Amino acid sequence: MAAITPASATEPPGLETQRREIENIVQNHELRAGDSWYLVERRWFEQWKEYVKTGDQNSSSFPGQIDNTELFEDLDSYHLKERLVENEDFVLIPAEAWRKLLAWYGLVDDQLALERKVVDLPSTVKVEVYPVEIFLCLHSNMDNVVTAQFSRVDTIQTIEKVMRKQFDVAESAETRLWMKSSDTSCERLRNIYVSVLDSCLSTGMTVIMEMRNADGTWPSSRPQIMRNSVEEQDSYRGQPGVCGLTNLGNTCFMNSALQCLSNTPPLTEYFLRNAYLEELNFTNPLGMKGEIAEAYADVIKQIWSGRHYSVVPRVFKTKVGHFASQFLGYQQHDSQELLSFLLDGLHEDLNRVKNKEYIELRDADGRPDQEVAEEAWRNHRRRNDSVIVDTFHGLFKSTLVCPECHKVSVTFDPFCYLSVPLPVSKERVMEVFFVSLNPGAEPVQLRVVVPKAGKVIDLCIALSQATDVPANQMVVADVFNHRFYKIYHADESLSCILDRDDIFVYELSSGAVEEDGEEVVLAVYLRERPHCRDYGSGGGYGTTLFGHPLLMAVPRDQCTRDALYILFLQRLARYVRPPETSEEVEEEEADDEDGEEEDEEEEELYRTQTNGVSNVTNTQTDDGDNDSEKAGPSKRASKEGEAPDGLTSSAGHVDRQNNGQSEPSEEDGGSDPERGSSSEEGQSAGSSSGGADTNTQSDLATAGASGKVEDQEEEDEDQEDNEGRGSESAMAYVSSGKRAAGSGRNGQSRKKRRPLFTIQAVNSNGTTERGMGEGGTAFSFSSQPYVAIDWDPDMKKRYYDENEAEKYEKHGSMEIPHQQTTVRLQECIELFTTVETLEEENPWYCPVCKKHQLATKKLDLWSLPEVLIIHLKRFSYTKYSREKLDTIVEFPLRELDFSGYLLRKTGVNGEPPSRYDLMAVSNHYGGLRDGHYTSYARNKDNGQWYYFDDSKVTYAREDQIVTNAAYVLFYQRQDKIRKPTLPAPTDGCAASVKPANDFTSSNHDGLAGAASCVNMETD
């Protein structure tokens, strides 16, 4: 308050009047928070009391002008002395009493009135004699520090206004304040409406103001790192909004949702004009203290600054994970789930309703729909009022009918997006390879139609109609990485089989059904051993799997090494050529005693560790005794985490392809499924033929992986000749080998016939070997047996025909193009509004029947928002199956008309309130377990469509947008659409910015164009 000179003092009333008025004011005035009181030096006040008590205006005790000189440390700064005591050094008088005294006596020249506020502290109400003294500075110039005093009841906004005035900061500049308590610790002052006391500001602290950069960033990315100058801005200038988002690790789902929201004009303009700053709700218990809204605003301002190629949304990701723990870490998530959380979080952070009142909902009870709807919307807005409600919220009409008493319950409920179902077919098309019992026949690739909720036996029945082979003589299996990943039971659900799995169906003879029957089903793997075999290893990890495994049934009385050798040669006759008599490899052995001892030792090692056949019942280990349906951890990890080597099913399953083929090498060695080992990548179904002499086993199912094979046919006569020749050669070969080995015992030297391959018992992974007995010793199996055929590289190269093994035949069903299911968006909306019966898990409580009922429910659209989000429910989860629907939904880019679905028929000035234009699409490529998210969006300024793939942005054409990857659609009502303010860019312009901004002008069509720059992410 300005000093009042003696000339300005008014004529005082009588002394008794003065005393009475001042005493009444002081005695009757209570302390109230926010009121102003004044400090008066005690000696002057006591002298005034003495003066008015005498009643003599000419008394020598006249106090003169109010003088507080004794209360100041110095008269230059008028800084109050420390440790002043009330009623000893000063007295406090209310503002009314001060004004009277000031008017009667005036104030000494140049002195300031010592006004102090009454503050409401946690335990008491008192006059704040010593206010908080704070240092103020700008982030861009930390050396220019100004000292200011503020009451504890002043708000942070008061400090902000003082700083704007002190440092000449424009009102339009966006600022934020930091509270610095020490040299290393800074904290954001987010809520500018709280008091200095509540924000924990105290004397000696520093308040720093920083202003947002032109590119949307803040000078201090972290409060702990305060720089003294703003770094030089990048010289890049681009189209605002055309900016990528860096993938932080499986965050494509977040980037896709953010790009769609960023290109929602009303929401983006709300943040760009800083309207959110006045509506931040820091006290909402359902909100995130304004942090989600601020983090989202930072991302939007950076994207639309036009100064970034790509933005790193790390702070936003951290905030989302902090308030929604399901998004912590770097796992893949659903873009629609993040979108739902983000819209709800923004709504609560920006809710204009500070204190939500309790509102009891009422049923319609026969009232008109218009009345009930208006009441429901009014009640909703009483508790929820934000830009999200203004932009995205509409109203449903929900009708429930009790099946017993026919009570009709009508309610109107708000919604933020429509989750519309896709028409689900009850059938599915499966591509399989059928392996005939005839070893000379090539596998046949077929396409069959089966029930979605069917069993494996249904697949066999459908295949039986195409092949004339009884369904009970078929076994279904999945082959991955040259192993049987799973052998299916006939009663297992087909939902266990994914479209990308490579499924083989083997024909077996009847007879192997009984567990203790005359035949046993063998699972046979093909392996290649390195040239230098380590006999001491015994673990089989020096081998490399190749080709496809076999499944064949053999008589139990032929489970000897020699007998199995003959049977395997017969089964492999189509692509394994037995050596001619002139080609037989012989090995000479010395007859001396040392040589005989070495031979016996080697034969013992060979028999027990390498390829002998023994009674497995007595030699099984934990590693080897695996059930046919159980896969080791390493195998399952490989199954779900990487593509099978060399398996490229003609169905084109993207996720499990490997395009390369490699020759056998020792570096490839090891059949560890984690490494996806295979020396012969790209082997076809042909190498997976079933056994020549096999029986059916109804509770077994086998699988083979389809391969990268050629469509080549052989004449039946050649197949029969080949089979017969192979059988005869095998018998002759084994017989001559026995004779040569036997005659060598008593002669000067011995000659052994070298076999094409050796036989070794293994586990289901094809790795851990189990010892087998001497040649000629029979063995039996107590569980599914796995056997490996081990090839020497030289023998494999000479006698194993890879080209022949890759051949397969295409059935006529494969020639018919696979029709992609297509539906219209309007069909999905109609399906959404059809009557349905509630499920048993979600019954409705009928107020008339007084019990829960499976009522019928119907949803109708009553009112639609300015921006309509439509979620296509592509991920289907039921009690029996889980799948992703790749149905193409044909959605219009313009003129999506809801007039036929809206119950409320309104129109203002002829404007179409129910017609919408598309403005963004969130896409999902992949399946249930993995995939990649991208987005299409239309820029609000130039009207151009862009394709956003994480940090990469490309131009897009309208004919590319409708694909089977579309997941979430964003529509804007036509009466709210603004015309673009800038011309659309040309292809020439796109080419000119490509080197700097990684832009490309799209010359591709449809999904192919989108997928050309899609990098698949997996969990």
Side-chain angles (χ1 to χ4, degrees):
M1 182 177 292
I4 301 178
T5 63
S8 64
T10 62
E11 184 68 27
L15 298 182
E16 181 61 26
T17 304
Q18 291 183 38
R19 183 186 65 79
R20 188 171 56 252
E21 289 183 5
I22 298 300
E23 285 183 356
N24 288 337
I25 294 173
V26 172
Q27 292 174 2
N28 298 325
H29 203 93
E30 296 180 354
L31 294 176
R32 289 193 299 268
D35 287 354
S36 293
W37 286 58
Y38 288 81
L39 273 70
V40 178
E41 203 271 329
R42 188 187 70 85
R43 285 197 302 175
W44 183 93
F45 190 73
E46 291 294 335
Q47 189 172 351
W48 170 82
K49 288 169 63 177
E50 183 68 26
Y51 171 64
V52 296
K53 186 177 181 180
T54 62
D56 183 5
Q57 293 186 353
N58 296 321
S59 172
S60 59
S61 60
F62 177 71
Q65 292 177 310
I66 302 174
D67 186 1
N68 291 327
T69 302
E70 295 297 325
L71 300 181
F72 299 111
E73 284 187 350
D74 58 78
L75 298 179
D76 295 329
S77 64
Y78 288 105
H79 193 275
L80 204 64
K81 290 180 179 179
E82 295 183 3
R83 301 183 180 88
L84 295 177
V85 179
E86 185 180 0
N87 296 327
E88 290 185 11
D89 301 306
F90 64 89
V91 294
L92 292 169
I93 61 175
E96 184 181 355
W98 168 260
R99 285 192 293 267
K100 289 181 178 293
L101 289 176
L102 187 63
W104 297 335
Y105 297 95
L107 186 64
V108 172
D109 292 346
D110 300 327
Q111 278 196 14
L112 297 176
L114 296 177
E115 180 184 7
R116 294 296 185 261
K117 295 287 187 180
V118 177
V119 294
D120 187 2
L121 299 178
S123 58
T124 183
V125 177
K126 61 184 293 185
V127 177
E128 184 182 42
V129 176
Y130 290 96
V132 178
E133 191 172 88
I134 300 173
F135 301 107
L136 310 176
C137 66
L138 292 179
H139 177 267
S140 57
N141 187 3
M142 305 274 284
D143 295 329
N144 182 19
V145 180
V146 175
T147 303
Q149 291 183 341
F150 298 94
S151 169
R152 289 172 176 80
V153 296
D154 287 338
T155 63
I156 303 301
Q157 189 177 38
T158 304
I159 299 178
E160 183 186 35
K161 289 179 179 179
V162 171
M163 294 185 72
R164 283 183 183 270
K165 184 177 181 180
Q166 180 70 40
F167 298 111
D168 295 326
V169 177
E171 289 296 328
S172 60
E174 186 177 353
T175 63
R176 64 181 186 180
L177 302 180
W178 297 93
M179 178 178 65
K180 186 177 181 182
S181 57
S182 64
D183 293 337
T184 59
S185 175
C186 289
E187 183 181 346
R188 270 285 309 281
L189 294 170
R190 298 181 181 277
N191 190 355
I192 63 175
Y193 302 107
V194 300
S195 66
V196 171
L197 178 65
D198 292 337
S199 63
C200 300
L201 267 174
S202 59
T203 298
M205 288 187 176
T206 302
V207 174
I208 304 170
M209 173 182 282
E210 66 171 335
M211 292 164 283
R212 190 187 290 273
N213 296 327
D215 65 350
T217 61
W218 293 99
S220 59
S221 58
R222 291 187 301 167
Q224 292 83 0
I225 305 175
M226 288 292 194
R227 300 180 178 87
N228 292 325
S229 62
V230 179
E231 296 179 0
E232 184 178 353
Q233 300 297 322
D234 193 355
S235 59
Y236 168 74
R237 297 293 183 273
Q239 171 63 43
V242 183
C243 174
L245 291 171
T246 301
N247 193 317
L248 305 174
N250 277 335
T251 57
C252 58
F253 72 97
M254 181 182 75
N255 295 345
S256 175
L258 283 176
Q259 292 288 10
C260 291
L261 280 182
S262 170
N263 287 277
T264 302
L267 185 63
T268 295
E269 290 167 359
Y270 169 85
F271 279 95
L272 291 181
R273 67 174 183 267
N274 294 331
Y276 74 99
L277 292 175
E278 297 297 324
E279 298 183 349
L280 285 172
N281 191 332
F282 299 98
T283 60
N284 187 353
L286 300 178
M288 289 79 176
K289 312 300 181 187
E291 295 186 36
I292 287 293
E294 288 186 334
Y296 177 77
D298 288 347
V299 174
I300 293 300
K301 287 177 180 291
Q302 292 176 49
I303 290 176
W304 287 88
S305 68
R307 297 175 182 242
H308 298 284
Y309 309 115
S310 179
V311 170
V312 181
R314 190 178 304 278
V315 175
F316 178 81
K317 168 70 171 61
T318 303
K319 294 294 183 185
V320 170
H322 176 71
F323 290 105
S325 59
Q326 66 268 31
F327 297 113
L328 277 173
Y330 296 93
Q331 299 299 316
Q332 182 65 281
H333 294 281
D334 191 301
S335 67
Q336 188 271 333
E337 291 179 2
L338 175 81
L339 186 67
S340 176
F341 162 78
L342 181 55
L343 289 176
D344 184 64
L346 290 176
H347 160 64
E348 297 296 353
D349 271 0
L350 301 169
N351 198 344
R352 305 176 186 111
V353 179
K354 307 304 180 184
N355 297 305
K356 295 187 177 184
E357 57 181 312
Y358 173 76
I359 300 174
E360 187 172 353
L361 300 179
R362 296 173 55 197
D363 197 76
D365 289 333
R367 291 181 294 162
D369 284 352
Q370 184 73 26
E371 177 186 342
V372 180
E374 290 177 356
E375 178 186 79
W377 185 249
R378 194 164 52 247
N379 291 339
H380 178 61
R381 294 302 295 257
R382 285 165 63 186
R383 292 174 54 87
N384 303 277
D385 185 13
S386 70
V387 64
I388 302 301
V389 176
D390 299 340
T391 308
F392 297 98
H393 282 205
L395 206 60
F396 282 140
K397 178 187 176 183
S398 175
T399 306
L400 289 165
V401 180
C402 177
E404 187 173 323
C405 69
H406 304 292
K407 158 72 176 176
V408 178
S409 173
V410 176
T411 57
F412 287 83
D413 305 305
F415 67 89
C416 190
Y417 51 84
L418 295 181
S419 288
V420 298
L422 273 62
V424 179
S425 172
K426 295 184 178 180
E427 296 179 335
R428 64 182 286 196
V429 177
M430 296 185 65
E431 293 181 3
V432 299
F433 282 88
F434 176 72
V435 181
S436 172
L437 192 61
N438 179 8
E442 298 174 356
V444 180
Q445 186 184 25
L446 304 95
R447 188 177 285 158
V448 293
V449 179
V450 296
K452 266 189 178 177
K455 306 288 186 182
V456 170
I457 188 63
D458 295 315
L459 171 61
C460 298
I461 293 173
L463 200 58
S464 175
Q465 297 174 356
T467 60
D468 294 329
V469 174
N472 61 354
Q473 292 183 223
M474 295 182 185
V475 177
V476 181
D478 180 4
V479 173
F480 175 74
N481 223 18
H482 315 295
R483 302 169 174 81
F484 285 114
Y485 176 68
K486 182 167 184 179
I487 301 176
Y488 291 98
H489 290 282
D491 59 350
E492 285 192 76
S493 173
L494 285 177
S495 62
C496 300
I497 302 177
L498 303 180
D499 288 338
R500 69 181 186 182
D501 292 341
D502 298 302
I503 301 301
F504 274 51
V505 180
Y506 292 86
E507 177 191 359
L508 301 177
S509 61
S510 57
V513 178
E514 298 81 5
E515 184 175 345
D516 297 326
E518 294 299 322
E519 292 183 342
V520 59
V521 179
L522 292 180
V524 184
Y525 293 148
L526 300 178
R527 302 195 303 183
E528 181 178 354
R529 284 190 176 275
H531 284 284
C532 299
R533 179 182 303 145
D534 181 8
Y535 285 101
S537 65
Y541 290 100
T543 60
T544 303
L545 288 172
F546 70 93
H548 299 288
L550 309 175
L551 196 69
M552 54 188 294
V554 299
R556 291 184 180 272
D557 58 2
Q558 295 188 31
C559 290
T560 63
R561 183 169 55 183
D562 293 340
L564 289 178
Y565 185 88
I566 296 172
L567 292 175
F568 289 165
L569 272 181
Q570 292 174 351
R571 189 64 184 118
L572 302 174
R574 185 170 62 85
Y575 44 89
V576 173
R577 179 181 65 86
E580 303 294 338
T581 305
S582 60
E583 295 179 307
E584 292 179 354
V585 181
E586 298 180 352
E587 297 177 350
E588 288 194 5
E589 298 182 358
D591 196 87
D592 57 70
E593 294 181 2
D594 294 340
E596 188 171 333
E597 290 176 359
E598 291 175 1
D599 175 66
E600 290 175 355
E601 292 175 0
E602 180 178 334
E603 185 172 321
E604 178 64 22
L605 263 177
Y606 176 78
R607 180 175 66 247
T608 58
Q609 295 186 9
T610 310
N611 61 352
V613 179
S614 68
N615 190 327
V616 182
T617 304
N618 299 324
T619 60
Q620 287 175 348
T621 64
D622 290 341
D623 290 335
D625 189 12
N626 285 357
D627 186 78
S628 61
E629 292 185 12
K630 294 181 180 178
S634 61
K635 182 173 72 172
R636 185 162 297 279
S638 172
K639 173 78 174 182
E640 298 182 355
E642 60 183 65
D645 295 335
L647 303 186
T648 54
S649 171
S650 26
H653 302 322
V654 176
D655 291 323
R656 295 180 61 180
Q657 291 196 87
N658 188 311
N659 295 326
Q661 290 188 350
S662 61
E663 291 298 321
S665 65
E666 291 191 46
E667 284 80 17
D668 292 338
S671 51
D672 184 0
E674 287 288 351
R675 296 168 51 190
S677 59
S678 65
S679 297
E680 295 285 334
E681 295 183 8
Q683 294 301 315
S684 79
S687 62
S688 304
S689 303
D693 191 8
T694 58
N695 292 4
T696 312
Q697 187 167 333
S698 62
D699 62 342
L700 278 179
T702 63
S706 63
K708 186 177 181 182
V709 293
E710 302 173 358
D711 186 10
Q712 182 175 342
E713 299 181 354
E714 287 188 356
E715 299 294 336
D716 293 337
E717 293 84 355
D718 294 341
Q719 294 177 355
E720 293 174 0
D721 293 344
N722 188 24
E723 180 183 355
R725 184 170 61 252
S727 177
E728 294 172 4
S729 300
M731 292 297 294
Y733 183 67
V734 173
S735 300
S736 62
K738 285 183 177 181
R739 286 195 300 271
S743 61
R745 280 291 176 186
N746 298 323
Q748 296 298 320
S749 64
R750 296 177 298 170
K751 289 186 178 181
K752 291 173 55 181
R753 303 296 184 185
R754 184 180 179 185
L756 297 186
F757 50 79
T758 57
I759 304 171
Q760 175 65 46
V762 295
N763 66 1
S764 60
N765 287 332
T767 54
T768 305
E769 299 182 352
R770 299 183 296 194
M772 303 182 71
E774 297 183 24
T777 302
F779 64 95
S780 61
F781 296 99
S782 61
S783 63
Q784 172 65 54
Y786 292 85
V787 177
I789 294 178
D790 290 344
W791 286 84
D792 178 84
D794 294 333
M795 303 295 281
K796 175 175 174 287
K797 185 175 181 180
R798 292 173 61 184
Y799 300 109
Y800 185 90
D801 189 344
E802 295 182 20
N803 292 330
E804 184 65 29
E806 292 178 356
K807 293 179 181 179
Y808 72 100
E809 176 186 347
K810 279 194 173 183
H811 189 263
S813 58
M814 297 299 299
E815 304 300 328
I816 304 174
H818 180 49
Q819 295 294 330
Q820 179 74 47
T821 307
T822 303
V823 299
R824 294 167 56 248
L825 178 60
Q826 288 81 350
E827 296 178 46
C828 301
I829 298 172
E830 290 173 0
L831 191 60
F832 174 78
T833 57
T834 56
V835 179
E836 63 176 354
T837 302
L838 297 180
E839 297 180 351
E840 294 183 1
E841 295 81 6
N842 187 30
W844 170 67
Y845 183 80
C846 177
V848 177
C849 300
K850 304 296 183 182
K851 62 180 180 180
H852 289 89
Q853 299 279 13
L854 299 182
T856 58
K857 181 179 181 180
K858 187 179 190 303
L859 288 177
D860 292 293
L861 301 176
W862 179 261
S863 63
L864 295 178
E866 175 184 348
V867 174
L868 178 62
I869 301 176
I870 301 178
H871 166 224
L872 304 177
K873 298 171 70 173
R874 291 197 177 275
F875 297 99
S876 173
Y877 300 96
T878 67
K879 286 189 277 186
Y880 310 103
S881 65
R882 298 174 60 204
E883 62 177 330
K884 184 198 172 185
L885 306 177
D886 288 324
T887 306
I888 294 180
V889 178
E890 294 180 343
F891 49 90
L893 273 64
R894 297 177 184 84
E895 300 290 337
L896 175 59
D897 190 1
F898 278 90
S899 58
Y901 306 103
L902 274 178
L903 294 184
R904 187 178 67 172
K905 310 293 183 181
T906 57
V908 181
N909 298 328
E911 295 178 349
S914 57
R915 293 182 183 271
Y916 288 79
D917 289 352
L918 186 73
M919 61 183 181
V921 180
S922 175
N923 303 307
H924 178 265
Y925 302 93
L928 284 173
R929 292 180 293 200
D930 50 37
H932 183 64
Y933 286 92
T934 64
S935 57
Y936 287 106
R938 179 178 176 270
N939 187 275
K940 69 182 181 66
D941 292 337
N942 62 17
Q944 170 68 39
W945 281 93
Y946 294 92
Y947 180 69
F948 298 90
D949 182 6
D950 288 333
S951 57
K952 185 175 182 180
V953 185
T954 58
Y955 291 95
R957 298 194 311 271
E958 291 187 353
D959 59 0
Q960 296 175 279
I961 297 171
V962 179
T963 69
N964 66 343
Y967 184 43
V968 184
L969 312 177
F970 287 71
Y971 279 93
Q972 187 175 15
R973 206 167 60 214
Q974 288 182 343
D975 61 314
K976 296 292 185 178
I977 296 177
R978 290 190 303 103
K979 291 183 178 180
T981 57
L982 300 174
T986 62
D987 285 349
C989 176
S992 67
V993 300
K994 179 180 178 181
N997 199 17
D998 197 22
F999 276 63
T1000 57
S1001 179
S1002 303
N1003 295 319
H1004 41 251
D1005 295 324
L1007 178 60
S1012 64
C1013 54
V1014 171
N1015 295 320
M1016 296 300 292
E1017 295 179 49
T1018 59
D1019 291 351

